[in-house]
Every structure is written in C-alpha cells, then in structure tokens.
Amino acid sequence: MKKEKMDNMFFQDNNQRFYVKLEKSVYEKILHYCLISYPKETGGILIGNYSQNLSTANIIQTSEPPQKSIHKRNFFKRSSNGLKSIFDDAWKNGQYYLGEWHYHPDASAKPSSLDINQMIAFSKDENLKCPEPILLIIGGVGISREIFISVFTENSYIVLNHIEVDYKDN
Ligand SMILES: [Zn+2]
C-alpha cells in the first residue's frame, strides 16, 4: 500500500460516487495565481487522470490563466489560448482535461448561475471530451480561503466535501 503524502487533499460526494484527489502542489499553484490576480478573478484548467475503475479523478496539474482570458472584479472568462499544446503534452503522460478552476476574490466560493451554465457548456464541448468536468472555486474574504468543488453531470452538479484520509488504493 502506497502511503499518500498527508497534505494532498481529498474530496468525496455524500453518495461516495465521485472521489477527487487534489495534489498539494496544484492547490498551492492555484492559490498563487489567485494571490497575484487579486482583486480580479482568474482561473485555468485542471489536468490529470482517472483511477482504473473511474471512481477517482486525480488532479495532477493546472494551467496558468490562459492569455486573452477576461479578468474582472466579478467576472472571469477563460480563453482557450495555448491550451492545445498543454493538452498534447499532457496526453503524452496519460493525462487529460478534468475541469476548471477559478477565483472569487473577497466572495463566497459558491458558483454563480453563469458559472453553472458555463460548466454545462464545457461538459458538452467536443474539444474538451470531458462529459463530467470538475469545477473548483477558491473564495474567501481577505486571507481566509474557502474551497468549492463539484462534479458536473447530467446538466446539474454534485458537491464534494473535503475528507480526511491518509491513503487510498486506486
Ligand atoms: Zn465564478
């Protein structure tokens, strides 16, 4: 049994259907992008792989906010600039697009109706080939941090909760 580093983060829904592992290094990178973007929103994509039985999504990489994305105080629109080469490189390592992250500066991490509609559109995007994308939002006022994470499926979303584990067999 491989022991996970204690500081990776694990999330699961109440019905134990979806399980997400977020590598600590990815989380720290995302927090860094949030910090340098403040007080404007920012975001990027999540890359990784699935366990053999598809129950677990492993978030292994993130992109920096793509150039030409639109960053405002209460709005972010991710551009697809540069993503093709990121996807091609990931593919060589058996990794794929898993979903999106973005930042709500000085606000709740809860998704807006626009966020929800965008994710439903991403789930149907032929280029992304990801029918059940993950949405990760970082919110929180000042230096406090709030995380929202969910999986979009069948035109709706399922919220995942942070859980404490020290290892997990895939
Ligand atoms: Zn949002």
Side-chain angles (χ1 to χ4, degrees):
M1 234 178 270
K2 197 178 101 211
K3 204 161 198 306
E4 295 284 355
K5 280 197 220 94
M6 287 294 286
D7 44 16
N8 287 331
M9 296 169 83
F10 299 89
F11 303 89
Q12 193 170 46
D13 68 299
N14 289 337
N15 294 323
Q16 305 187 352
R17 191 173 152 211
F18 297 100
Y19 191 82
V20 169
K21 180 179 132 189
L22 174 63
E23 291 204 357
K24 172 91 169 173
S25 61
V26 175
Y27 181 60
E28 285 178 345
K29 231 174 167 179
I30 288 172
L31 291 185
H32 170 75
Y33 294 136
C34 294
L35 199 67
I36 59 177
S37 176
Y38 184 87
K40 288 182 176 171
E41 291 202 10
T42 190
I45 57 164
L46 304 170
I47 293 171
N49 58 30
Y50 294 99
S51 64
Q52 215 139 31
N53 64 8
L54 302 178
S55 70
T56 304
N58 299 302
I59 302 172
I60 299 169
Q61 288 187 60
T62 182
S63 72
E64 58 182 32
Q67 292 198 352
K68 298 179 184 162
S69 294
I70 301 168
H71 302 259
K72 292 187 179 166
R73 186 71 183 79
N74 292 303
F75 180 78
F76 173 72
K77 188 170 194 307
R78 175 183 65 66
S79 95
S80 297
N81 203 56
L83 293 188
K84 170 90 172 68
S85 69
I86 292 173
F87 289 149
D88 288 349
D89 285 346
W91 180 258
K92 289 176 199 147
N93 296 316
Q95 295 176 21
Y96 339 89
Y97 170 87
L98 294 182
E100 306 279 332
W101 69 270
H102 72 270
Y103 174 41
H104 289 172
D106 287 337
S108 157
K110 290 216 168 62
S112 66
S113 55
L114 185 65
D115 291 337
I116 293 165
N117 290 338
Q118 278 182 340
M119 287 306 294
I120 291 170
F122 286 139
S123 75
K124 293 172 179 162
D125 189 323
E126 298 286 329
N127 295 314
L128 298 173
K129 298 183 191 69
C130 183
E132 294 186 335
I134 295 164
L135 173 62
L136 169 69
I137 300 176
I138 305 290
V141 175
I143 55 163
S144 73
R145 289 284 173 248
E146 188 188 322
I147 301 182
F148 170 90
I149 185 160
S150 64
V151 175
F152 279 72
T153 179
E154 291 154 16
N155 292 329
S156 182
Y157 64 94
I158 294 170
V159 177
L160 307 187
N161 307 303
H162 188 204
I163 56 168
E164 299 292 337
V165 284
D166 50 359
Y167 64 82
K168 162 91 178 171
D169 284 336
N170 286 339

